[in-house]
Amino acid sequence: LKAVAIVPAAGRGERLGPGTPKALRALAGVPMLVRAVHSLAQSPSVELVVVVAPPEPVTEVRALLPEDQLGATVSVVAGGVTRQQSVRLGLSALPDQAEVVLVHDAARPLVPVELVDAVVRAVWAGADAVVPALPVTDTVKAVNAQERVTGTPDRAVLRSVQTPQGFRRSVLEEAHGKAADGPQDSTDDAGLVEGLGVSVQVIAGHEEAFKVTRPIDLVLAEALVARRRAGTAR
Ligand code: C5P
């Protein structure tokens, strides 16, 4: 059961602080993007990884990913201004024969291989779109522009979604094709697919697939790397 993966990595990552693009920042000595690509390439179901790199250092990104050490073919293309554009650029770089496509954030460097495999399996089992998700732990409020609460959705029906998200290629292409005309940027590929009226399947996510967004997430990620090194994680 094979798949190709698109890794959007072209974001600035401003919430993490100023400096290098987020995907190129080191996590215990290794750039996040390199860790994310390794995590995907470890899966026997992933045969090609298309990295959508920050436009500036595309050649540097290529040099960070020597294929002989990876276990999957890796290609690198330049990204866009928004995540949605970056994913579309990744899609246009896929080989004709790819049928199942994963989209995985470079900012989720520690995704376990079991989760990657589970998403691919669910698409091959017949789902058009698959998202891994976890229950929401905080209560979530809806607010208006004045920061007044306008509602409190029932937490039991909310999920926090992760990547890799998996798609039948034709469905993801159609969704991005339609969205290209719209004004809005989507940070979630499954959301675009929902816009087509296609049903999206949720599978159990994994705590270690969390996104490194804020400085505190780096602390957690480094602790997890140290725990894995010590051999106590799995
Ligand atoms: O900003 P956020 O954390 O939601 O970004 C999620 C992923 O999308 C990151 O891996 C980021 O590098 C990527 N991205 C991109 N192109 C952009 C913006 C974000 O590839 N223009």
Side-chain angles (χ1 to χ4, degrees), residues 11-105:
R12 303 280 335 158
E14 268 146 23
R15 287 167 293 181
L16 205 54
T20 322
K22 175 161 76 173
L24 300 183
R25 294 201 209 182
L27 182 58
V30 179
M32 273 196 263
L33 168 64
V34 175
R35 289 189 183 275
V37 172
H38 271 270
S39 301
L40 292 165
Q42 253 180 31
S43 163
S45 35
V46 174
E47 48 187 5
L48 167 70
V49 181
V50 176
V51 171
V52 189
E56 288 271 285
V58 168
T59 46
E60 283 153 58
V61 171
R62 179 67 269 180
L64 287 172
L65 297 163
E67 274 185 55
D68 49 336
Q69 293 166 24
L70 287 168
T73 308
V74 177
S75 61
V76 181
V77 299
V81 177
T82 64
R83 184 184 182 283
Q84 188 176 312
Q85 276 177 10
S86 294
V87 173
R88 200 165 63 243
L89 290 164
L91 270 173
S92 56
L94 295 185
D96 287 346
Q97 60 283 19
E99 274 182 68
V100 172
V101 181
L102 301 180
V103 182
H104 181 63
D105 291 330

Side-chain angles (χ1 to χ4, degrees), residues 27-28 35 110 218-233:
L27 182 58
R35 289 189 183 275
L110 301 178
L218 273 176
V219 177
L220 179 60
E222 299 217 340
L224 184 54
V225 171
R227 195 177 72 167
R228 286 185 182 177
R229 279 211 187 111
T232 52

Side-chain angles (χ1 to χ4, degrees), residues 76-149:
V76 181
V77 299
V81 177
T82 64
R83 184 184 182 283
Q84 188 176 312
Q85 276 177 10
S86 294
V87 173
R88 200 165 63 243
L89 290 164
L91 270 173
S92 56
L94 295 185
D96 287 346
Q97 60 283 19
E99 274 182 68
V100 172
V101 181
L102 301 180
V103 182
H104 181 63
D105 291 330
R108 300 180 188 272
L110 301 178
V111 58
V113 65
E114 295 83 354
L115 183 60
V116 177
D117 287 340
V119 172
V120 174
R121 268 200 311 275
V123 180
W124 277 110
D128 285 324
V130 177
V131 301
L134 293 175
V136 171
T137 51
D138 290 322
T139 295
V140 176
K141 301 279 185 197
V143 296
N144 63 18
Q146 289 74 46
E147 287 292 310
R148 298 276 168 195
V149 171

